Amino acid sequence: FLQMESVSQKIFKSVHLEIKHAKSQNTVWKNDWSGKNDMILPVGTEGFQKYMLKIIATLTDGTSWTKEINFAAGVPVKHVLFEGGKTDYSIVVGAKASESERWAAQELQSCLLKISGVEFPIKADETEVENHELIIGYNRHTFMLLPDDSEKPDDKDETYFYENSGSDILFCGGSERGSMYAVFSFLENEFGCRWYTPSVTVIPTREKYEFAYLNHSESPSIQVRNDFYYEAFNPDWAAHNKINGAMSFREQHGGVEGYWSVHTFYPLMPPAEFFDKHPEYYSLIDGKRIHDHAQLCLTNPDVLDIITERLRETIRKNPEYLIYSVSQNDWRNPCHCDKCQAIAKKEGSESGPVIWFVNQVADRIKDEFPDKYVGTLAYQYTRKPPLNIVPRENVVVRFCSIECCFAHDFESCPENHDFLADLKGWSAIAPHMYIWDYVVNFSHYIMPYPNFRVLQQNIKTFRDNKSIGIMEQAAYQSRGGEFAELRAYLIGKLLWNADVDVDEVINDFMSGYYGRSGQFVREYFDFLHGRLTSETHIHLGLRPDDVLFSGDFVQEADKIFDKAERVADNDEIRRRVEMARLPVMYLKCKITPSKAIYDGTYERFKMIVKREGITHFAESGQPNVESFYRQMEAINKNK
């Protein structure tokens, strides 16, 4: 206390102190302030540690005042992991380690070799604990170093930590992915390793690395993280970047939480199999049973029996998934029979019959499959939640944002008002939400699409509304989506930590992926997003003739990319810059095709597309590509 001790009595009625351990947040000491200028705090006797002092005071006027002060106590001891191409350390993996923990050990060994120039040996935990060990997962050595009351977490627990115990470093989490993530986080945070794309990994070199105190832990913002970009499907890249969700199952270190299929009414009950004999299984529209672009009659008891049994068969044959879809076809025409419509009218939405039906399916399978979920859609005509029916505990509602404006986040844009109301309505009644979000222009994958500013806030909104999973659907059939590499990387970071510093991630990517050219790619990025205003609204079908790209947009963008190409570090970096520039070339071909042909833009566009193996300019695929080239070649012949 910096004033005279007598002053404290005039300021404070009482002052209580608490000290918490920085990592565990456990209270290690608490007492009242002595009122003296100096007070010795009873910590720091067991080696160097970090703490937090919380001061809780009541002033003489009755008001409260609190203050938190982070501090360290104890004498730090420097430990040298490597220096001058030498190390005393080895990597320890348990005899019963998971596959992903063993792979993480190999990745740690490989990266440290590239960083330091020395190969760290890998050994089992059968020997006694020694100084200078990098210990992965919960094994014999881990429990010898952790407090006696430490317990191994659930295998699927993705919360992790890496910390030092003296000269040893522990990497711990759930055995499926947690321990693996601890290793990758250590390599990212301490050495600057980056897995930007499946083909671009950055591993900086160092002469020496030493530490005195390591204490880092994280938990995911979203339980199931599905980054639905072509670039993100690579299983090694996905594991390095903590992507654990998939639309269909794939082999990946640590496994994936798969979501089996979507729009499953007809795959489970094909009209070709049933309609001729049982038209009553399908939608009644205008007094007639139909199957073309229709749905199922969800109040028919036979439909419930068939769907339930076929879902059981599906789960038995494909046990690797977490969620199994029982969901509407990708069009409208719900059943208008009296029974179906009675539920829809009572519930104020066509989601009523769907949830009523899916709840029954979920009830019937839960005893055989207690750890599985039945998923269904809240999509287009079923987006509005029901008034009374509540989804069962083993039902996951997959909520879709297809109608939204993506120039502004969900909470700030008037166009998204109804969507947000529906989201909050479902969040109030559904035990679990799984979001199907959209981050790309499906009509023009390659065209500029300035939606980066909404990515973080939208993911936060989903997180805050009980979302156990998010799928960010993007350009998924081939390379070539606008800023696909950057967007896939950033989305991965946001799905893991929705509060990450977005500008820091983007700037890091710009520098690490584009080298010296990154400053100008960032200049173009800011130029593009700077054209958005409160009146600008973009959707999934943004067109080339949108006012967003009017005036001198293409000319100014070309000037910026010219600078980016001039300073490229090498040919590989220049090719990456050309991929970032491809959307501007595509836009020029669409807006001013004759000029694009005359100045060589079209020929250069074709060359890059061929070189990079781009097969899709839009979700529709080859017909769209052929139409684009047909239109350009027709102009080319008549120029």
Side-chain angles (χ1 to χ4, degrees):
F1 187 64
L2 298 179
Q3 307 298 321
M4 294 176 61
E5 291 179 3
S6 60
V7 175
S8 69
Q9 298 175 5
K10 299 179 180 180
I11 300 175
F12 301 108
K13 182 183 294 185
S14 65
V15 181
H16 182 70
L17 306 177
E18 292 183 5
I19 297 177
K20 294 178 181 285
H21 194 279
K23 180 197 172 189
S24 66
Q25 292 297 299
N26 291 333
T27 300
V28 297
W29 176 86
K30 57 184 178 181
N31 211 329
D32 291 334
W33 177 40
S34 65
K36 303 294 184 181
N37 288 95
D38 297 308
M39 182 175 180
I40 303 299
L41 302 178
V43 292
T45 59
E46 298 180 357
F48 182 79
Q49 291 290 331
K50 291 187 178 181
Y51 302 94
M52 187 271 288
L53 171 66
K54 186 172 185 179
I55 305 170
I56 307 165
T58 301
L59 306 184
T60 52
D61 65 0
T63 59
S64 298
W65 177 79
T66 61
K67 178 74 173 179
E68 292 182 353
I69 302 173
N70 295 312
F71 71 99
V75 179
V77 177
K78 295 287 187 180
H79 306 287
V80 178
L81 182 62
F82 60 80
E83 182 177 13
K86 297 180 180 179
T87 186
D88 295 326
Y89 278 79
S90 57
I91 300 170
V92 177
V93 183
K96 297 181 179 179
S98 66
E99 178 276 333
S100 65
E101 289 172 334
R102 294 182 183 281
W103 181 64
Q106 296 169 358
E107 287 291 281
L108 181 61
Q109 181 188 53
S110 174
C111 289
L112 288 176
L113 174 60
K114 294 173 184 176
I115 292 166
S116 68
V118 60
E119 184 167 359
F120 288 61
I122 299 176
K123 66 179 186 180
D125 65 341
E126 297 166 348
T127 58
E128 293 303 310
V129 177
E130 300 176 354
N131 291 329
H132 307 113
E133 291 185 341
L134 306 175
I135 306 168
I136 298 177
Y138 285 86
N139 54 51
R140 287 183 64 253
H141 289 205
T142 311
F143 284 113
M144 289 179 185
L145 295 173
L146 289 175
D148 293 340
D149 60 351
S150 299
E151 295 183 2
K152 182 180 179 181
D154 183 84
D155 290 346
K156 286 185 175 293
D157 190 343
E158 293 185 324
T159 296
Y160 66 79
F161 67 86
Y162 66 83
E163 66 177 33
N164 71 299
S165 175
S167 62
D168 297 320
I169 305 177
L170 293 80
F171 305 89
C172 296
S175 61
E176 286 194 6
R177 291 182 287 269
S179 300
M180 175 178 70
Y181 290 165
V183 170
F184 298 152
S185 180
F186 172 74
L187 291 169
E188 281 189 301
N189 296 341
E190 307 302 325
F191 299 104
C193 295
R194 299 289 187 268
W195 295 273
Y196 288 125
T197 74
S199 60
V200 180
T201 297
V202 174
I203 302 179
T205 59
R206 294 179 68 156
E207 174 67 18
K208 178 182 179 180
Y209 175 79
E210 62 182 8
F211 62 92
Y213 180 82
L214 295 172
N215 186 351
H216 182 85
S217 63
E218 292 186 36
S219 297
S221 291
I222 303 298
Q223 179 183 338
V224 182
R225 306 171 297 279
N226 189 346
D227 196 345
F228 207 65
Y229 258 108
Y230 180 82
E231 285 78 3
F233 296 157
N234 179 280
D236 287 356
W237 181 91
H240 281 125
N241 287 285
K242 305 182 183 71
I243 301 302
N244 71 345
M247 185 65 177
S248 57
F249 182 77
R250 64 171 177 256
E251 294 292 337
Q252 180 173 309
H253 297 290
V256 293
E257 304 298 339
Y259 196 124
W260 177 81
S261 200
V262 70
H263 303 308
T264 59
F265 278 180
Y266 278 11
L268 291 171
M269 287 189 65
E273 180 180 354
F274 292 101
F275 186 78
D276 286 347
K277 291 185 177 179
H278 296 282
E280 70 275 13
Y281 291 173
Y282 299 89
S283 293
L284 181 71
I285 304 294
D286 295 330
K288 183 180 179 181
R289 295 285 178 177
I290 67 169
H291 67 82
D292 183 32
H293 284 78
Q295 307 291 341
L296 297 176
C297 179
L298 298 177
T299 54
N300 187 304
D302 291 347
V303 171
L304 177 61
D305 291 340
I306 295 168
I307 289 289
T308 302
E309 186 52 40
R310 295 204 167 180
L311 189 66
R312 284 197 184 104
E313 293 172 4
T314 297
I315 300 174
R316 290 166 190 154
K317 291 178 181 177
N318 306 277
E320 62 272 17
Y321 292 89
L322 175 68
I323 306 170
Y324 297 80
S325 180
V326 175
S327 57
Q328 69 207 55
N329 298 319
D330 197 8
W331 45 73
R332 297 181 182 271
N333 282 338
C335 183
H336 284 183
C337 76
D338 291 343
K339 290 183 179 180
C340 286
Q341 283 306 297
I343 299 174
K345 290 174 182 176
K346 180 181 178 181
E347 298 299 326
S349 170
E350 285 291 346
S351 65
V354 173
I355 298 300
W356 178 82
F357 179 83
V358 170
N359 275 350
Q360 295 177 79
V361 176
D363 286 341
R364 291 185 177 195
I365 71 158
K366 66 181 180 181
D367 289 340
E368 184 177 355
F369 308 105
D371 58 341
K372 303 297 185 182
Y373 294 96
V374 180
T376 196
L377 289 171
Y379 172 61
Q380 294 185 332
Y381 73 90
T382 60
R383 198 187 75 183
K384 185 179 179 182
L387 296 174
N388 306 293
I389 298 176
V390 175
R392 295 287 195 268
E393 180 60 32
N394 60 333
V395 169
V396 175
V397 175
R398 193 161 202 176
F399 188 75
C400 306
S401 62
I402 195 167
E403 301 91 352
C404 289
C405 165
F406 296 100
H408 315 108
D409 64 72
F410 299 139
E411 299 197 15
S412 67
C413 183
E415 286 198 7
N416 296 331
H417 178 269
D418 291 344
F419 168 85
L420 188 63
D422 288 344
L423 172 63
K424 292 183 180 299
W426 280 109
S427 177
I429 65 171
H432 315 287
M433 300 281 284
Y434 192 120
I435 304 300
W436 189 313
D437 192 27
Y438 306 85
V439 293
V440 75
N441 180 356
F442 287 107
S443 301
H444 303 279
Y445 279 163
I446 305 182
M447 200 172 75
Y449 194 67
N451 69 335
F452 274 84
R453 290 179 178 174
V454 309
L455 297 178
Q456 180 170 46
Q457 186 54 52
N458 286 354
I459 287 174
K460 284 184 176 182
T461 297
F462 292 140
R463 176 199 63 186
D464 296 341
N465 283 277
K466 300 196 313 194
S467 298
I468 65 166
I470 298 177
M471 185 186 83
E472 297 288 8
Q473 187 176 5
Y476 59 93
Q477 299 110 319
S478 88
R479 297 192 64 212
E482 185 249 12
F483 275 128
E485 298 86 359
L486 171 59
R487 209 181 262 104
Y489 183 76
L490 175 61
I491 286 170
K493 296 296 182 189
L494 285 168
L495 291 176
W496 174 262
N497 176 12
D499 297 308
V500 73
D501 187 325
V502 169
D503 268 342
E504 184 178 299
V505 174
I506 293 174
N507 287 335
D508 176 85
F509 187 95
M510 291 292 184
S511 175
Y513 187 72
Y514 295 111
R516 290 183 300 180
S517 300
Q519 60 187 310
F520 298 113
V521 179
R522 178 72 204 232
E523 181 182 344
Y524 162 76
F525 177 93
D526 292 337
F527 169 63
L528 170 62
H529 286 78
R531 296 177 72 86
L532 295 173
T533 71
S534 60
E535 304 303 318
T536 308
H537 301 285
I538 62 176
H539 304 88
L540 299 183
L542 183 65
R543 294 169 53 89
D545 58 0
D546 192 274
V547 66
L548 191 64
F549 309 120
S550 61
D552 61 354
F553 173 78
V554 171
Q555 294 92 320
E556 291 301 312
D558 274 338
K559 291 177 183 178
I560 298 172
F561 274 114
D562 284 344
K563 291 186 291 185
E565 290 184 18
R566 278 197 297 269
V567 302
D569 301 73
N570 50 51
D571 288 342
E572 173 58 31
I573 295 294
R574 188 172 291 106
R575 286 193 287 271
R576 295 176 198 171
V577 173
E578 285 180 329
M579 282 289 285
R581 187 174 190 165
L582 199 64
V584 178
M585 299 182 197
Y586 176 84
L587 191 61
K588 183 186 287 188
C589 290
K590 284 290 188 178
I591 297 174
T592 55
S594 296
K595 184 176 181 180
I597 292 168
Y598 178 77
D599 67 11
T601 297
Y602 173 55
E603 286 301 318
R604 191 180 186 197
F605 176 87
K606 288 196 297 181
M607 179 272 293
I608 296 170
V609 167
K610 182 178 180 181
R611 182 188 74 201
E612 301 294 337
I614 298 169
T615 61
H616 286 66
F617 299 169
E619 188 179 31
S620 54
Q622 195 60 32
N624 175 272
V625 174
E626 292 172 355
S627 174
F628 172 83
Y629 283 134
R630 189 163 52 246
Q631 292 172 15
M632 292 301 294
E633 291 299 331
I635 296 171
N636 195 20
K637 289 179 181 179
N638 296 324
K639 69 177 181 179

